[in-house]
Amino acid sequence: MLANDDFCAGHPHGAAYVHFWQLFARRPLNLARLQEAFASMGELAVQEEPNTPWPTTIIAGNGERIPFTVESLLAYFARTSGPARRPAVSDSTIQELLPRWTNATIKEIVGWQGAGFQVRLAKRIRLASKSTRTQDGSLGVSCTWQLLREQELVCSSSDTDLHIAESLPALKGKKLLDSHLSSGGRLSLNLQAGFSLAIQPDNLALYSDYFLSFGWDDQSLLHYNFFKGAFVAFKQDNGEQDTLDNS
């Protein structure tokens, strides 16, 4: 999405540049670490290229030239990121859908972009024809979160990638007992064996804090992103109507 005027793979401080963008892509975004990395890169750039102005400029995918600063990058992505032209839905709508996950089992946990992860759920549902099949659902988290067991912290989004990778698999095979949405998009999930997952949106307006997928209903995919402090829906056609069996 962005190209750089002054840097290339062979540049002496190219490694610092790559590290900066790795931190920028990490979820959730750690602004303090990002600022530190940018400051370190700036010091190195001034030392190695004293006659080159710093900060430099970069070219966005739309051709826009923007200053290469943390603030300018955040402002650019805030303008251009996120799900566009999708219908907004109320918190109460999401709260009414959350029971569809009740008694679903966590089948898989996939890590992404640092501390982000996706939980894949499955449960048996009753079709209109009275037969049953497995219905999948999922939760994808890119914002701040904490995993607790019996109110004791197990791990959080601020931990190392290794600790997160070692801790999250403990949720595999556990049933989701109940879930609750509170003000500001805060989401809490209670699971078997005393586990609970607390999700706190960052509201950076750069990416969706998390997404929820509840399967199909009325020929639509019930998939919602929490972005810029509100839920937005994704719609897609499907030919079969399902009704959930929460027993």
Side-chain angles (χ1 to χ4, degrees):
M1 183 177 294
L2 294 169
N4 188 278
D5 286 332
D6 305 308
F7 293 80
C8 64
H11 198 282
H13 50 278
Y17 179 72
V18 171
H19 177 62
F20 172 82
W21 282 111
Q22 288 174 336
L23 289 177
F24 198 92
R26 183 181 173 85
R27 300 295 179 259
L29 183 67
N30 188 318
L31 290 178
R33 289 187 62 193
L34 193 67
Q35 292 281 11
E36 290 173 1
F38 186 82
S40 297
M41 180 172 56
E43 292 174 1
L44 190 61
V46 170
Q47 291 172 8
E48 296 180 345
E49 301 285 345
N51 298 321
T52 301
W54 181 267
T56 183
T57 59
I58 51 180
I59 302 175
N62 60 5
E64 179 183 354
R65 297 175 66 90
I66 60 177
F68 184 35
T69 66
V70 173
E71 293 75 17
S72 294
L73 290 173
L74 293 177
Y76 169 79
F77 282 104
R79 293 197 314 270
T80 60
S81 299
R85 295 187 299 277
R86 296 182 186 174
V89 298
S90 66
D91 287 8
S92 60
T93 297
I94 301 300
Q95 189 69 67
E96 291 172 0
L97 287 168
L98 286 173
R100 296 168 68 97
W101 276 353
T102 301
N103 292 326
T105 299
I106 293 179
K107 295 296 185 180
E108 187 178 12
I109 302 172
V110 180
W112 61 27
Q113 294 179 292
F117 65 92
Q118 181 177 358
V119 173
R120 294 174 181 165
L121 306 159
K123 67 183 295 184
R124 299 298 296 176
I125 63 169
R126 185 180 296 116
L127 304 177
S129 61
K130 306 252 174 122
S131 61
T132 63
R133 69 174 175 83
T134 299
Q135 173 67 66
D136 297 324
S138 59
L139 162 69
V141 182
S142 296
C143 58
T144 299
W145 56 268
Q146 287 187 329
L147 176 65
L148 300 96
R149 187 172 192 181
E150 304 295 350
Q151 304 305 313
E152 295 290 332
L153 182 64
V154 175
C155 68
S156 74
S157 53
S158 61
D159 284 323
T160 65
D161 292 354
L162 178 60
H163 183 57
I164 292 171
E166 291 175 342
S167 301
L168 286 179
L171 298 180
K172 187 174 181 180
K174 303 297 187 296
K175 279 193 174 183
L176 177 57
L177 304 179
D178 62 74
S179 48
H180 178 70
L181 179 68
S182 56
S183 63
R186 292 187 294 273
L187 183 65
S188 58
L189 310 178
N190 294 315
L191 301 109
Q192 284 180 321
F195 284 106
S196 61
L197 180 64
I199 299 166
Q200 172 65 57
D202 298 316
N203 291 317
L204 291 177
L206 304 178
Y207 48 82
S208 296
D209 286 291
Y210 60 86
F211 72 76
L212 312 170
S213 181
F214 299 101
W216 294 90
D217 187 44
D218 295 330
Q219 300 184 8
S220 296
L221 178 62
L222 300 175
H223 183 111
Y224 305 90
N225 292 339
F226 190 80
F227 179 70
K228 290 186 178 180
F231 288 99
V232 290
F234 174 77
K235 300 291 185 181
Q236 184 174 338
D237 291 336
N238 183 45
E240 186 174 28
Q241 178 178 348
D242 299 342
T243 57
L244 283 174
D245 178 7
N246 285 317
S247 61

